[in-house]
Amino acid sequence: MADRPTPRRLIIENCAVATVDAGDTRYERGHLVISEGVIEAVGPGPAPEPPPGEGIPGRRVDAEGHLATPGLVNTHHHFYQWLTRGMATDHNLFDWLVALYPVWARIDEPMVGAAARASLAMMARGGVTTASDHHYIFPRGSGDLLGATITAGREVGIRLTATRGSMDRGESDGGLPPDFAVESTEEALRGTEEAVDTHHDPSFGSMLHIAAAPCSPFSVSTELMREAAVLARRKGVRLHTHGSETVEEEKFCHELFGMGPTDYFETTGWLGEDVWMAHCVHMTDADIVAFARTGTGVAHCPSSNARLAAGTARVPDLLRAGVPVGLGVDGTASNEAGELHTELRNALLVNRLGPHREKALTVDDALRLATMGGARVLGRDAEIGSLEPGKLADLVLWRLDGLGHSTIADPVAALVLGPPAPISLALVGGKPVVEDGRLLGVDEETVAREARAQARRLAEAAP
């Protein structure tokens, strides 16, 4: 589709506003002023009129019955897994991986492109304005898989942190992936450096970041872990991997390395403010202290953790220790819903089943995890994650005056605990990405049809 113009000036009025700033400021009836893709003003009541002669032509939105929030930030996903939803539904993580690795090893560029468009479209129509993808399978001769993901992000129109993942420990080396699904250590490092050099844009307002992302301790050699950390810091990009996801992983690390995952990560240079880990379910008190001391971030994926019976992450303890925590969808082979709104609700509910009970998380905590928490985890909290002057105009208008929400007085409670709220407007850098529930960058029916066709191709190619 053609590029959508960004209004020079946009005024949104008459809506509830949850800023998710440092004080969790809310306005029962407020306004936002956006100029050149950046938030110029936010506050209570109607927007102030510009001085005579200084008005900038633009658009005014009457958002009566809506809640304005920062756009949601998804900190962990595997876009390619859109093509294998609904498989291995009664497996734990290790058995699930053994069942699906041989299928995933048959992916190619058209498959990944279709899966990425579908994954991104599903998230965008559910309020996500920034997403991170962890792609770590690169079968030989499969084409430009990272490039296909990046193109899909550009088409859908949301910010992307594309992590260049890798695996170099196949079955013959004691890992879980089949040997034909892994790269050599040298290939993985070379591919990561090329991805950073070709695609990473560190500028303010960038639509694309690259991060280095060896997959996990049980699919990656210690050499690759160490060298990837060195490479990432030399290039000035972030690091991402899976960590402490299951009791089986804990046992694997003790057997192979003589220590638990967190201690292992520290010996390989993988704790720090430029690192975030997916899941972190099985964390000891000492692990949490280490994450807090180093500023290492966590992508909390409650639906996927439950789907794979991994357990419940200690999110209240992580937050109280000062660990950066955001939310993640995870791949849709372990979270078939594929959107982040579900994770706000599930993060709150699942953590209230733990020892902190009703004190575990509030609705404001859940919204913060999905916005400012995610921005902090991805290293973008100076740009996105809250509605404050000077930040990028990544925001969502949620309609809350309909059947599903109109009797819930607290708009944040309505958003977090109610059914998925319709989206009247989602902006990325002030540019509309969703309007009246409709994606503007891609055609939803076309995306669904292409993904279905590629899923069939993959099923036919699988062993």
Side-chain angles (χ1 to χ4, degrees), residues 91-438:
H91 293 53
N92 66 30
L93 175 67
F94 277 20
D95 291 342
W96 176 83
L97 288 171
V98 168
L100 288 172
Y101 270 142
V103 180
W104 295 335
R106 267 68 179 185
I107 58 174
D108 61 18
E109 186 175 340
M111 293 177 191
V112 170
R117 274 188 294 276
S119 295
L120 286 157
M122 190 70 189
M123 284 184 285
R125 69 195 288 268
V128 170
T129 55
T130 297
S132 176
D133 180 52
H134 188 186
H135 190 97
Y136 50 82
I137 297 183
F138 294 89
R140 297 186 187 281
S142 56
D144 185 3
L145 305 188
L146 191 68
T149 297
I150 290 168
T151 297
R154 190 178 304 120
E155 291 171 355
V156 176
I158 69 177
R159 296 188 202 282
L160 180 63
T161 295
T163 75
R164 206 297 183 177
S166 52
M167 300 188 296
D168 69 343
R169 185 194 293 276
E171 286 178 312
S172 62
D173 292 321
L176 285 181
D179 288 345
F180 59 81
V182 303
E183 300 174 283
S184 70
T185 306
E186 294 73 20
E187 288 171 330
L189 292 168
R190 184 168 59 249
T192 302
E193 186 159 10
E194 289 174 356
V196 175
D197 290 343
T198 304
H199 298 294
H200 182 63
D201 176 7
S203 65
F204 181 84
S206 167
M207 295 295 290
L208 179 61
H209 283 187
I210 302 296
C215 183
S216 64
F218 49 83
S219 60
V220 172
S221 69
T222 298
E223 180 186 1
L224 180 52
M225 291 296 293
R226 286 181 175 147
E227 292 303 317
V230 171
L231 186 158
R233 290 179 176 125
R234 174 166 54 85
K235 292 290 182 179
V237 299
R238 297 179 76 76
L239 299 93
H240 181 52
T241 191
H242 297 87
S244 300
E245 186 172 358
T246 65
V247 292
E248 291 84 5
E249 178 189 338
E250 179 87 15
K251 180 180 178 183
F252 180 94
C253 286
H254 276 284
E255 290 177 352
L256 200 63
F257 311 123
M259 64 188 82
T262 298
D263 289 338
Y264 173 68
F265 287 133
E266 187 148 34
T267 67
T268 56
W270 271 78
L271 295 184
E273 293 182 352
D274 54 356
V275 180
W276 84 103
M277 309 256 183
H279 304 292
C280 298
V281 174
H282 297 278
M283 301 278 281
T284 66
D285 289 346
D287 295 335
I288 292 174
V289 168
F291 271 53
R293 169 175 51 82
T294 58
T296 305
V298 171
H300 176 44
C301 306
S303 294
S304 178
N305 293 344
R307 161 80 152 77
L308 295 174
T312 303
R314 297 173 58 185
V315 172
D317 297 326
L318 290 164
L319 293 174
R320 288 164 194 175
V323 175
V325 182
L327 291 183
V329 170
D330 204 6
T332 48
S334 63
N335 179 2
E336 278 76 2
E339 53 86 35
L340 199 69
H341 176 269
T342 305
E343 304 312 303
L344 280 77
R345 190 171 192 266
N346 284 352
L348 184 149
L349 298 181
V350 166
N351 281 281
R352 287 191 179 183
L353 294 174
H356 298 284
R357 301 181 64 186
E358 71 277 8
K359 303 296 185 183
L361 295 175
T362 67
V363 293
D364 286 286
D365 292 335
L367 179 60
R368 177 169 288 275
L369 286 173
T371 53
M372 193 51 155
R376 187 180 172 199
V377 163
L378 295 184
R380 304 203 68 167
D381 46 311
E383 300 173 277
I384 60 173
S386 61
L387 302 180
E388 300 180 80
K391 285 201 167 183
L392 299 168
D394 289 14
L395 62 90
V396 180
L397 283 179
W398 309 88
R399 185 163 190 171
L400 299 179
D401 59 358
L403 177 63
H405 306 88
S406 64
T407 57
I408 306 176
D410 179 343
V412 175
L415 177 67
V416 173
L417 295 175
I423 291 176
S424 293
L425 186 65
L427 305 176
V428 176
K431 179 181 290 188
V433 173
V434 177
E435 194 150 5
D436 295 327
R438 185 174 65 89

